[in-house]
C-alpha cells in the first residue's frame, strides 16, 4: 500500500483532534453533575421545578469561571458548554416544534382587515380546503377567490388589496395574477421577519445550541430546544405575537348591572328555571370559597345553569370596592364564558355606553382553595373600552426599549421606554384617566390594569403583576425587544421529552452501545484471531472518528443517530469480513500471504464489492436525510458519516496493521482453531430450491397483504394526526381500564397501550386535534389529568405536566401532530421510499450494465418491504411495544432496503466476477458464487443481528419498534439476497438470453 506515512499522519491528527473536541463534553458533564448535586442539597424532596432552578443558579454562578486549564490556553464553563456534544431531544429532553406562520392573517393584515364578502368567503373556503390539500394557502385562496368573484371584483379593488399601504405595488389596473405575485412577495417578507423575530427570542432563552430553521417555502419554521425543561414557558415564548396595547377599562361597578341582566338571559338560553344565585363580593377570599363550593361546581351540577354557574362577578358595593377586575372564573370554564358573553341576545343587553366592550382574561391564573380543601385555578376578567374599529389608544410599536426590572417592593416588573410619539400619547392618555384604570394588554391578555394616580410624562411605564416571576418578566421584555410577529405562528407539530426520560435514554443507549461493541469485538477475535484484533482496533478508531466529527461540526446526536452509528459499525465489520474472506480464498488457492493480502485489498478483490455495497446504503441514507425530519434526519446523517469513516478505517487502518504484521513475518491465518473449518468447501445448489423459495415468499407476502387489507396497519400520530402522551404512574396499570376511564374526558376512548414497563402507558387521542390554539392544548392536557386523577395519588397538575425532573407520576413525553402536517409527512415518506427504489435501480443498472441485475435487486427490496409490513400488520396488536407506522418506521424500511441491497450487491459482484470468464450465466456458476459468499453473508448478518438485538433488549422503549423492524429486515434481507434477488436475476437473465 502506498502513502502509508500520509495515512498514519492523517489518522493520528484526526484522532487527536477528535479526543480534544470530545474532552469538552467530559468537562461540561463534570460541571453539570456538580450542579445536580448542589440542587439536591438545597431542595427537599424531588420538586423538579425547584431542582431546575437551583441547577440554573449554580451553572450561572460558574458560567464565566475557568474550568479547563490546558497550560497554553484555558476555557470558561460557557466556552466549554458551547463545544460539548450536541445531544438531541430524545437524549437530553426538551422541545421540538414546527410552527406554521398564518398566511391567512398576513392576507387579512395586507387587506387592512377588509370585510369584503367575497374576500372573507374565499379565506374561509381556503382554510377548509387546506385541511385536505397539499397546496400552499395562497394558491388555495386565489382559486377560491376566482371562483367566488367570477370577475365581479378584483383583488386590486380598494376594498381588498388596493389599500394605501400597498398603493405603490398594487393599482386598480393590475390583474389578479399580478396581484398574486405581489402578495407572494409580501408573504415571503413576513415569514422572513417572523423567522428573525423568533430567532432573536430563542437566542435569549438560555439553552445551549438552540436550533431554528425554515422548512422550504411553506411558511413553516422548526425550532428545537434540547435541554429546555419549562415547556409551558417555551411555548408561550415562541407563539406569542407580542402585540402590545394600552386600553382604558370599565370598572366592576360600571359592568355589574350588565352581568345581572346577562345572567337571567343565559338562564333562559340554557333553559334553566332555577333562581339566580345571590352574588357576593368575590374579591374576598371567603366569598370565593363559597362561590367555589360544591353547589357551583360546573362539572357536577346539571340543574342550575346560568352565567353565574361559570362566572363569579366582582360586585362593588361601595367606592372602596371599585376595581378594574370585573369577574373571575375557573380556567376550565373560560371557553364557556367566552361563548355565553358573545351570544347576540346577551350582547344586545349592553347599554349604548358599553356597546363596544371587549372582555379579556388575565395573563395568569391563581390557585384558590375553598373551605372543603378543593383547589381550583381561578383567572380574572377585565372589560376593555373598545371601539368600532377595535383600535387601542396606544399600540406597542411605540416601545423603544424594554427590560426586566424590580419595583419598590422588589417584585419583578417589565420597564418600558416609549419613543417620542408614544411619550405624547401616554401623557395624554394618563392625563385623561387620572383616578381611573388603564390596562396593559399583551397578545389579548391583561398583564396589569392599575389606577392612574397622575399624568405620566417622559414615556416610561411598567408591566407588573402580583405574581409575575423574574422569568416571565425576562420573557416579556425579550418578545417586546425582538418585535411583533407580523402574523400569529401556531404549533402544528410538537414533540416534548422530559429530562427524566432523556436521562433514561442515555443510560439505555450506553448499555446497548457498550454491549453491542463487546459482542462485535469478541466475535471478530473468535472468528479471525489476530486479524480480528486488527479489525477491532480499526473499529474503535472508527467510533472515535464518528464522535469526533459529530462534536467538531456541532451535529446533533439522537437516539436513532446512535442506532445509525451502531449499524455502520456492523457495516465496518462487513468490509473487513469481505476483505478477510477474499484473503482466505487466496491462501486456500496456494498464494503467499503477501500476495493474498494485496489481492484481498485490491479493487478486483474485495474493494469493488465494498464500494458498491456502501454506495447503495449511502444513497438510501441520503434520500432519508432529504425527506426526513428531526431524529430521522439525525439517523441518516450518522449513517452516511459512519459509511465514510468505516470505509477509511476498514480499508486503510486495518491494512496498516496487517502489512506491519506481514513485514514482521507474522503467520496470519485469518481464523482460529475454533473457526478454521467453518464455511469451507461449501457447495449448495441454491437455484434448484428457487421454486420452493418463491412459494414460501409468496405465502408470507400473501398473508401479509391479507392482514394489511383486513386488520390494517397501526399508523403513528405523525401519519394520522393527534396527540400522544407517555405517562408514568407509581403502580402497575391496566391499559383497558385506563382507556375506559378516559372515555368521558375525551368523548371517546383513546388508544392506550403499555409502554415499556407496566407502570408506563402510551395514550393516543384525536380529541380536539382540529381545533387551534395554545388554550386547546392546555384543555386537552387538563382533561387527561382529570381522567387519570384517580390513578395519580397526590400528584398535582403542575407536577403532572411535561418537563422538569419527575420523581413520581406524570407526563414523560408528549407529541402533537395536526392532520395537515401529518398528510405532508406521509407524502414525504412515500416519496422517500419510491425515490430510494428508483435511485437504487438506476445505480445497479449503471454498475452492472444489465437489466436483470436491477430487476432482481428491486424485486428483493419489494419482497423485504412487503414482508416487514405484513409482520407489523399481523403482530401490532400483540407485541408489548409500539409497532406504529410512522417516520421511524420509514427510516427502518429504508435502512432494510440499504442493508438488503448491501448483501445483494456483494453476491452480484461475485457472480459478475465469475461470469466475466464464462460465455453465459449458468446455474452452476451462480450456485458457486452464492456458496463462496455464504461465509461472508452469514458472518455479517450474524454480527449485525447481535448488535440490533443488544439495542432492542437494552435500548430505550421509544426505539424498540424501530429496532424490531430492522431485526426482521436483516433476517428477511439475508434470505432474499440468497433466495429472491439472485433467482429472479437468473430467471430474467435467461429470458433475456432467449429473446
Amino acid at each position: 500500500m502506498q502513502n502509508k506515512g500520509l495515512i498514519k499522519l492523517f489518522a493520528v491528527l484526526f484522532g487527536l483532534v477528535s479526543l480534544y473536541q470530545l474532552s469538552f463534553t467530559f468537562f461540561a458533564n463534570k460541571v453539570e453533575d456538580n450542579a445536580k448535586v448542589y440542587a439536591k442539597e438545597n431542595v427537599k424532596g424531588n420538586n423538579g421545578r425547584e431542582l431546575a432552578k437551583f441547577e440554573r443558579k449554580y451553572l450561572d454562578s460558574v458560567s464565566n469561571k475557568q474550568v479547563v486549564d490546558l497550560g497554553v490556553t484555558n476555557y470558561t464553563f460557557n466556552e466549554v458548554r458551547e463545544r460539548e456534544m450536541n445531544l438531541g431531544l430524545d437524549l437530553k429532553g426538551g422541545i421540538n416544534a414546527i410552527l406554521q406562520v398564518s398566511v391567512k392573517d398576513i392576507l387579512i393584515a395586507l387587506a387592512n382587515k377588509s370585510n369584503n364578502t367575497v374576500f372573507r368567503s374565499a379565506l374561509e373556503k381556503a382554510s377548509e380546503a387546506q385541511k385536505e390539500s397539499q397546496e400552499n394557502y395562497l394558491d388555495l385562496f386565489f382559486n377560491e377567490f376566482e371562483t367566488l368573484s367570477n370577475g365581479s371584483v378584483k383583488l386590486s379593488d380598494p376594498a381588498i388589496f388596493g389599500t394605501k399601504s400597498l398603493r405603490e405595488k398594487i393599482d386598480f389596473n393590475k390583474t389578479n395574477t399580478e396581484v398574486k405575485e405581489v402578495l407572494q412577495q409580501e408573504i415571503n417578507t413576513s415569514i422572513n421577519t417572523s423567522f428573525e423575530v423568533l430567532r432573536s427570542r430563542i437566542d435569549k432563552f438560555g439553552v445551549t445550541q438552540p436550533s431554528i430553521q425554515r422548512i422550504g417555502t411553506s411558511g413553516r419554521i422548526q425550532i428545537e430546544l434540547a435541554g429546555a425543561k419549562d415547556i409551558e414557558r417555551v411555548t408561550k415564548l415562541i407563539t406569542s405575537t407580542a402585540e402590545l396595547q394600552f386600553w382604558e377599562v370599565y370598572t366592576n361597578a360600571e359592568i355589574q348591572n350588565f352581568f345581572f341582566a346577562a345572567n337571567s338571559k343565559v338562564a333562559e338560553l340554557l333553559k334553566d328555571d332555577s333562581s339566580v344565585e345571590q352574588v357576593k363580593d368575590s374579591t374576598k377570599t371567603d366569598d370565593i370559597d363559597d362561590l367555589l363550593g360544591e353547589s357551583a361546581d360546573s362539572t357536577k351540577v346539571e340543574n342550575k345553569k346560568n352565567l353565574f354557574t361559570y362566572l363569579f362577578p366582582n360586585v362593588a358595593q361601595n367606592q372602596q370596592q371599585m376595581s378594574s377586575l370585573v369577574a373571575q372564573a375557573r380556567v376550565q370554564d373560560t371557553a364557556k364564558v367566552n361563548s355565553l358573553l358573545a351570544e347576540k341576545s346577551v350582547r344586545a343587553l349592553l347599554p349604548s355606553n358599553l356597546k363596544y366592550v371587549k372582555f379579556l382574561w388575565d395573563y395568569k391564573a391563581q390557585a384558590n382553595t375553598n373551605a372543603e380543601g378543593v383547589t381550583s385555578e381561578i383567572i380574572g376578567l377585565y372589560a376593555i373600552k373598545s371601539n368600532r374599529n377595535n383600535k387601542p389608544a396606544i399600540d406597542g410599536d411605540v416601545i423603544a426599549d424594554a427590560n426586566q426590572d424590580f419595583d419598590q417592593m422588589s417584585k419583578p416588573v417589565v420597564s418600558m421606554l416609549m419613543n417620542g410619539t408614544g411619550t405624547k400619547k401616554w401623557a395624554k392618555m394618563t392625563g385623561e384617566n387620572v383616578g381611573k384604570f388603564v390596562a396593559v394588554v399583551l397578545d389579548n391578555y391583561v398583564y396589569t390594569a392599575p389606577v392612574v394616580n397622575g399624568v405620566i410624562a417622559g414615556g416610561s411605564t411598567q408591566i407588573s403583576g402580583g405574581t409575575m416571576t423574574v422569568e416571565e418578566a425576562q420573557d416579556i421584555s425579550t418578545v417586546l425587544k425582538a418585535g411583533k410577529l407580523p402574523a400569529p405562528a401556531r404549533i402544528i407539530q410538537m414533540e416534548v421529552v422530559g429530562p427524566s426520560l432523556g436521562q433514561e435514554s442515555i443510560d439505555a443507549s450506553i448499555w446497548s452501545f457498550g454491549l453491542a461493541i463487546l459482542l462485535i469485538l469478541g466475535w471478530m477475535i473468535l472468528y479471525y484471531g489476530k486479524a480480528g484484533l486488527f479489525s477491532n482496533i480499526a473499529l474503535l478508531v472508527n467510533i472515535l472518528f464518528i464522535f469526533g466529527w459529530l462534536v467538531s461540526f456541532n451535529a446533533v446526536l439522537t437516539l436513532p443517530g446512535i442506532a445509525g452509528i451502531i449499524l455502520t459499525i456492523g457495516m465496518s465489520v462487513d468490509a473487513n469480513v469481505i476483505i478477510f474472506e477474499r484473503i482466505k480464498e487466496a491462501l486456500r488457492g496456494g498464494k503467499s500471504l503477501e500476495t493474498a493480502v494485496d489481492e484481498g485489498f485490491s479493487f478486483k478483490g474485495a474493494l469493488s464489492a465494498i464500494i458498491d455495497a456502501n454506495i447503495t446504503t449511502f444513497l438510501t441514507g441520503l434520500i432519508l436525510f432529504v425527506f426526513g425530519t428531526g431524529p430521522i434526519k439525525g439517523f441518516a446523517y450518522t449513517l452516511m458519516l459512519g459509511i465514510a469513516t468505516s470505509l477509511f478505517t476498514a480499508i486503510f487502518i486495518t491494512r496498516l496493521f496487517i502489512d506491519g504484521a506481514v513485514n514482521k513475518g507474522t503467520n496470519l491465518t485469518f481464523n482460529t482453531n475454533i473457526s478454521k473449518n467453518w464455511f469451507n468447501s461449501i457447495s449448495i445448489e441454491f437455484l434448484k430450491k428457487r421454486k420452493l423459495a418463491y412459494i414460501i415468499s409468496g405465502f408470507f407476502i400473501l398473508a401479509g397483504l391479507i392482514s394489511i387489507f383486513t386488520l390494517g396497519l397501526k399508523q403513528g400520530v405523525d401519519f394520522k394526526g393527534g396527540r400522544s402522551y407517555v405517562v408514568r404512574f407509581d403502580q402497575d396499570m391496566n391499559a383497558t381500564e385506563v382507556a375506559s376511564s378516559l372515555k368521558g374526558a375525551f368523548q371517546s376512548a383513546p388508544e392506550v397501550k403499555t409502554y415499556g414497563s407496566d407502570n408506563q402507558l402510551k395514550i393516543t387521542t384525536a380529541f380536539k386535534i382540529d381545533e387551534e390554539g395554545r388554550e386547546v392544548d392546555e384543555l386537552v392536557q387538563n382533561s387527561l389529568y382529570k381522567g387519570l386523577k384517580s390513578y395519580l395519588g397526590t400528584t398535582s397538575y403542575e407536577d403532572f405536566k411535561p418537563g422538569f425532573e419527575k420523581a413520581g407520576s406524570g407526563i414523560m413525553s408528549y407529541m402533537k401532530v395536526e392532520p395537515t402536517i401529518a398528510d405532508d409527512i406521509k407524502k414525504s415518506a412515500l416519496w422517500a421510499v419510491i425515490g430510494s427504489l428508483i435511485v437504487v435501480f438506476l445505480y445497479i443498472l449503471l454498475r452492472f450494465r444489465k437489466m436483470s441485475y436491477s430487476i432482481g435487486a428491486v424485486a428483493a427490496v419489494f419482497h423485504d418491504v412487503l414482508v416487514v409490513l405484513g409482520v407489523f400488520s399481523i403482530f401490532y396488536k400483540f407485541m408489548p411495544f409500539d409497532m406504529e407506522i410512522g417516520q421511524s418506521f420509514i427510516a427502518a424500511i429504508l435502512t432494510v432496503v440499504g442493508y438488503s441491497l448491501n448483501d445483494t450487491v456483494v453476491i452480484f459482484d461475485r457472480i459478475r466476477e465469475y461470469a466475466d470468464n464464462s460465455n453465459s450465466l449458468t446455474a452452476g456458476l451462480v450456485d458457486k458464487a452464492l456458496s463462496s459468499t455464504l461465509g461472508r453473508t452469514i458472518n455479517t448478518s450474524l454480527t449485525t443481528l447481535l448488535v440490533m438485538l443488544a439495542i432492542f433488549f437494552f435500548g430505550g422503549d421509544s426505539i424498540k419498534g424501530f429496532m424490531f423492524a430492522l431485526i426482521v429486515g436483516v433476517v428477511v434481507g439475508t434470505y432474499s439476497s440468497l433466495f429472491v434477488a439472485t433467482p429472479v436475476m437468473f430467471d430474467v437473465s435467461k429470458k433475456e438470453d432467449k429473446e
Side-chain angles (χ1 to χ4, degrees):
M1 182 177 68
Q2 297 178 340
N3 300 318
K4 288 183 182 179
L6 186 62
I7 292 170
K8 286 180 182 178
L9 179 64
F10 175 80
V12 170
L13 288 177
F14 196 10
L16 290 173
V17 169
S18 297
L19 287 171
Y20 171 74
Q21 293 289 357
L22 287 168
S23 68
F24 291 109
T25 302
F26 170 78
F27 290 119
N29 287 340
K30 191 175 179 182
V31 176
E32 287 165 2
D33 288 341
N34 292 339
K36 289 178 181 178
V37 171
Y38 172 80
K40 287 179 180 177
E41 288 174 350
N42 287 275
V43 177
K44 292 182 179 180
N46 288 292
N47 187 315
R49 188 178 291 273
E50 286 299 307
L51 286 169
K53 178 181 175 182
F54 277 93
E55 277 183 44
R56 174 55 51 199
K57 182 180 178 181
Y58 180 90
L59 294 176
D60 287 343
S61 70
V62 300
S63 59
N64 294 311
K65 289 185 178 180
Q66 178 183 312
V67 293
V68 178
D69 186 0
L70 299 178
V72 181
T73 184
N74 51 62
Y75 296 95
T76 65
F77 175 64
N78 275 345
E79 292 170 333
V80 168
R81 189 164 53 173
E82 288 174 1
R83 291 170 171 83
E84 72 174 327
M85 176 72 74
N86 193 3
L87 298 179
L89 194 70
D90 46 9
L91 291 175
K92 199 174 184 179
I95 178 172
N96 181 303
I98 295 179
L99 285 80
Q100 176 71 66
V101 178
S102 175
V103 176
K104 177 182 178 180
D105 286 292
I106 294 174
L107 293 174
I108 291 172
L110 290 172
N112 199 23
K113 298 183 179 179
S114 170
N115 288 318
N116 180 276
T117 307
V118 176
F119 171 70
R120 288 287 176 173
S121 297
L123 288 173
E124 295 307 316
K125 286 185 174 293
S127 297
E128 285 298 315
Q130 193 174 45
K131 295 176 182 178
E132 306 294 333
S133 174
Q134 302 298 320
E135 290 187 60
N136 67 60
Y137 187 87
L138 181 59
D139 289 337
L140 293 171
F141 164 76
F142 184 76
N143 294 336
E144 295 293 347
F145 185 88
E146 292 273 87
T147 303
L148 291 169
S149 66
N150 197 23
S152 62
V153 62
K154 296 198 300 182
L155 289 172
S156 59
D157 190 284
I160 307 178
F161 293 113
T163 60
K164 288 183 180 179
S165 59
L166 291 173
R167 61 188 171 190
E168 294 182 3
K169 299 176 181 178
I170 297 175
D171 57 56
F172 189 73
N173 295 321
K174 282 194 179 292
T175 64
N176 285 348
T177 303
E178 290 173 328
V179 173
K180 182 186 174 185
E181 292 175 2
V182 175
L183 294 177
Q184 186 63 67
Q185 293 171 0
E186 294 295 316
I187 289 169
N188 290 339
T189 301
S190 295
I191 292 170
N192 285 333
T193 302
S194 297
F195 178 79
E196 294 302 326
V197 168
L198 286 169
R199 183 163 64 179
S200 178
R201 293 181 189 179
I202 293 302
D203 286 344
K204 294 178 177 66
F205 185 72
V207 300
T208 55
Q209 300 171 323
S211 170
I212 176 169
Q213 56 186 334
R214 284 188 62 177
I215 301 176
T217 58
S218 62
R220 291 172 181 168
I221 298 171
Q222 184 173 26
I223 294 171
E224 180 165 315
L225 299 175
K229 296 180 180 179
D230 195 338
I231 304 304
E232 193 172 0
R233 182 184 171 198
V234 173
T235 52
K236 283 181 180 178
L237 187 71
I238 62 179
T239 57
S240 170
T241 310
E243 185 174 12
L244 184 67
Q245 299 172 333
F246 297 83
W247 293 93
E248 296 176 2
V249 296
Y250 294 107
T251 65
N252 52 343
E254 292 173 294
I255 211 77
Q256 62 191 26
N257 288 336
F258 163 69
F259 279 154
F260 284 114
N263 188 55
S264 300
K265 175 57 70 175
V266 169
E268 293 175 18
L269 293 173
L270 299 178
K271 297 180 180 179
D272 188 348
D273 298 326
S274 63
S275 59
V276 178
E277 295 177 272
Q278 182 181 0
V279 181
K280 301 180 181 180
D281 184 2
S282 61
T283 61
K284 298 178 182 178
T285 306
D286 292 342
D287 294 332
I288 289 179
D289 290 346
D290 292 339
L291 285 167
L292 295 180
E294 191 172 338
S295 61
D297 189 345
S298 62
T299 64
K300 295 179 181 178
V301 178
E302 297 296 329
N303 61 341
K304 294 180 69 175
K305 289 187 176 179
N306 49 43
L307 178 62
F308 295 163
T309 304
Y310 310 100
L311 185 71
F312 318 127
N314 180 16
V315 178
Q317 296 176 343
N318 52 55
Q319 187 67 27
Q320 284 69 39
Q321 293 179 350
M322 290 268 286
S323 171
S324 56
L325 182 73
V326 299
Q328 291 174 292
R330 298 182 189 85
V331 170
Q332 62 264 34
D333 291 336
T334 53
K336 185 69 174 178
V337 172
N338 289 340
S339 65
L340 292 174
L341 292 179
E343 284 282 344
K344 285 185 179 181
S345 57
V346 174
R347 295 285 302 185
L349 299 173
L350 288 164
S352 58
N353 63 315
L354 299 177
K355 184 177 180 181
Y356 296 111
V357 68
K358 180 170 67 171
F359 294 103
L360 295 180
W361 295 102
D362 201 338
Y363 82 102
K364 194 174 184 180
Q366 305 294 324
N368 185 83
T369 305
N370 65 11
E372 297 176 359
V374 178
T375 301
S376 300
E377 293 258 297
I378 301 300
I379 193 165
L381 184 69
Y382 297 84
I384 304 298
K385 286 186 180 180
S386 189
N387 49 59
R388 182 188 297 273
N389 298 319
N390 194 27
K391 291 285 186 182
I394 305 176
D395 268 316
D397 55 8
V398 301
I399 300 299
D401 195 16
N403 290 288
Q404 183 267 316
D405 206 345
F406 295 94
D407 63 11
Q408 296 170 336
M409 305 295 291
S410 296
K411 291 184 176 180
V413 296
V414 179
S415 296
M416 297 179 292
L417 187 64
M418 298 181 180
N419 60 22
T421 303
T423 299
K424 293 177 184 176
K425 288 183 177 180
W426 187 229
K428 181 175 183 292
M429 184 179 185
T430 52
E432 292 173 350
N433 287 276
V434 174
K436 300 178 183 178
F437 298 92
V438 171
V440 181
V441 178
L442 182 64
D443 289 341
N444 285 325
Y445 288 97
V446 178
Y447 276 73
T448 185
V451 66
V452 179
N453 295 317
V455 178
I456 302 175
S460 63
T461 187
Q462 287 182 340
I463 298 177
S464 61
T467 58
M468 182 180 288
T469 65
V470 172
E471 289 81 7
E472 287 171 339
Q474 288 172 342
D475 290 346
I476 292 168
S477 62
T478 293
V479 298
L480 290 177
K481 280 196 285 190
K484 183 174 74 173
L485 287 175
R490 79 176 195 276
I491 296 174
I492 58 174
Q493 181 181 342
M494 180 165 70
E495 183 179 6
V496 175
V497 178
S500 300
L501 199 60
Q503 186 59 50
E504 288 169 14
S505 296
I506 292 175
D507 296 340
S509 298
I510 291 171
W511 271 102
S512 61
F513 190 81
L515 181 59
I517 297 300
L518 288 175
L519 287 172
I520 290 177
L521 297 180
W523 176 258
M524 290 301 287
I525 292 175
L526 173 69
Y527 196 88
Y528 290 110
K530 196 169 185 178
L533 177 63
F534 296 151
S535 173
N536 288 343
I537 295 172
L539 180 61
L540 294 174
V541 172
N542 181 34
I543 294 169
L544 176 63
F545 283 0
I546 291 173
F547 281 102
W549 178 284
L550 289 172
V551 73
S552 298
F553 292 92
N554 277 330
V556 180
L557 180 65
T558 63
L559 199 57
I562 290 175
I565 292 172
I566 296 175
L567 187 63
T568 58
I569 289 170
M571 295 182 65
S572 175
V573 170
D574 178 45
N576 278 143
V577 167
I578 295 172
I579 292 168
F580 291 170
E581 291 299 319
R582 291 306 294 255
I583 293 172
K584 284 164 69 176
E585 284 181 28
L587 289 173
R588 284 196 295 266
K591 295 180 181 178
S592 67
L593 179 59
E594 186 175 354
T595 304
V597 168
D598 286 337
E599 186 176 304
F601 281 95
S602 69
F603 189 80
K604 286 186 177 181
L607 202 55
S608 173
I610 292 170
I611 291 173
D612 283 339
N614 279 274
I615 286 177
T616 52
T617 309
F618 187 90
L619 288 173
T620 57
L622 182 63
I623 290 165
L624 196 58
F625 184 79
V626 171
F627 288 97
T629 57
I632 304 309
K633 196 179 279 283
F635 169 77
Y637 184 85
T638 55
L639 183 65
M640 292 188 293
L641 171 62
I643 288 170
T645 57
S646 66
L647 274 174
F648 174 79
T649 55
I651 296 170
F652 295 107
I653 302 296
T654 307
R655 181 75 186 270
L656 284 175
F657 285 105
I658 289 177
D659 280 355
V662 171
N663 293 336
K664 289 179 181 177
T666 305
N667 182 27
L668 284 176
T669 59
F670 294 90
N671 55 36
T672 63
N673 291 331
I674 298 172
S675 65
K676 63 182 178 181
N677 294 318
W678 292 358
F679 306 113
N680 288 342
S681 305
I682 294 175
S683 180
I684 301 173
E685 295 179 325
F686 286 93
L687 291 183
K688 280 190 175 181
K689 300 173 179 59
R690 67 182 185 277
K691 290 184 180 179
L692 176 62
Y694 290 160
I695 292 170
I696 293 171
S697 294
F699 170 77
F700 280 107
I701 289 172
L702 183 62
L705 289 174
I706 291 171
S707 179
I708 289 169
F709 286 113
T710 54
L711 299 176
L713 292 160
K714 182 186 177 185
Q715 291 191 61
V717 168
D718 48 353
F719 269 20
K720 66 181 179 183
R723 293 179 176 86
S724 180
Y725 303 86
V726 173
V727 184
R728 183 172 292 171
F729 300 85
D730 290 328
Q731 70 277 351
D732 291 349
M733 301 298 295
N734 184 304
T736 306
E737 181 185 324
V738 172
S740 179
S741 300
L742 289 170
K743 188 174 182 180
F746 291 146
Q747 297 177 3
S748 63
E751 181 184 291
V752 181
K753 188 167 185 177
T754 301
Y755 188 80
S757 56
D758 290 336
N759 69 329
Q760 202 164 259
L761 298 177
K762 185 171 187 179
I763 301 167
T764 305
T765 177
F767 179 55
K768 290 188 178 294
I769 194 59
D770 290 320
E771 297 182 28
E772 300 172 4
R774 200 171 70 225
E775 297 82 4
V776 178
D777 294 335
E778 182 70 20
L779 173 66
V780 176
Q781 190 170 268
N782 198 279
S783 299
L784 176 67
Y785 175 72
K786 287 181 179 177
L788 296 174
K789 189 73 175 70
S790 59
Y791 305 105
L792 296 174
T794 59
T795 303
S796 67
Y797 180 58
E798 280 300 313
D799 292 335
F800 177 76
K801 291 178 181 179
F804 298 112
E805 298 284 348
K806 300 288 183 194
S809 303
I811 298 174
M812 306 303 290
S813 69
Y814 159 61
M815 175 179 273
K816 167 197 168 185
V817 182
E818 289 192 0
T820 302
I821 194 171
D823 290 339
D824 294 348
I825 292 170
K826 269 199 292 190
K827 183 180 178 183
S828 296
L830 181 63
W831 278 113
V833 174
I834 293 172
S836 66
L837 293 177
I838 292 172
V839 168
V840 165
F841 180 88
L842 293 175
Y843 176 78
I844 292 178
L845 181 62
L846 178 69
R847 192 71 183 86
F848 291 93
R849 305 296 176 90
K850 282 189 177 183
M851 186 71 73
S852 56
Y853 285 93
S854 290
I855 292 172
V858 173
V861 166
F862 268 113
H863 168 276
D864 299 343
V865 170
L866 289 174
V867 171
V868 175
L869 281 170
V871 168
F872 267 62
S873 176
I874 293 168
F875 293 104
Y876 78 85
K877 290 186 177 180
F878 312 109
M879 289 295 186
F881 52 85
D882 264 340
M883 294 183 69
E884 294 179 343
I885 307 299
Q887 290 187 89
S888 295
F889 179 79
I890 296 301
I893 285 293
L894 288 178
T895 307
V896 167
V897 167
Y899 183 86
S900 177
L901 286 168
N902 187 316
D903 239 0
T904 303
V905 166
V906 170
I907 293 170
F908 282 1
D909 197 80
R910 184 61 63 91
I911 293 171
R912 180 180 57 180
E913 180 188 336
Y914 287 172
D916 284 344
N917 302 319
S918 176
N919 294 325
S920 64
L921 199 62
T922 64
L925 184 147
V926 172
D927 287 338
K928 182 183 175 184
L930 286 168
S931 297
S932 66
T933 57
L934 188 61
R936 172 263 161 201
T937 301
I938 293 175
N939 206 340
T940 301
S941 297
L942 185 61
T943 52
T944 307
L945 202 56
L946 285 172
V947 167
M948 289 178 177
L949 287 169
I951 306 172
F952 177 77
F953 285 112
F954 298 99
D957 295 323
S958 62
I959 207 170
K960 284 194 185 298
F962 174 75
M963 293 312 302
F964 183 74
L966 289 180
I967 290 167
V968 174
V970 167
V971 174
V972 175
T974 304
Y975 162 83
S976 68
S977 298
L978 296 169
F979 295 104
V980 177
T982 308
V984 168
M985 180 276 295
F986 178 77
D987 288 340
V988 173
S989 180
K990 284 296 163 189
K991 189 175 180 182
E992 285 177 347
D993 289 344
K994 286 180 181 179
E995 291 175 352

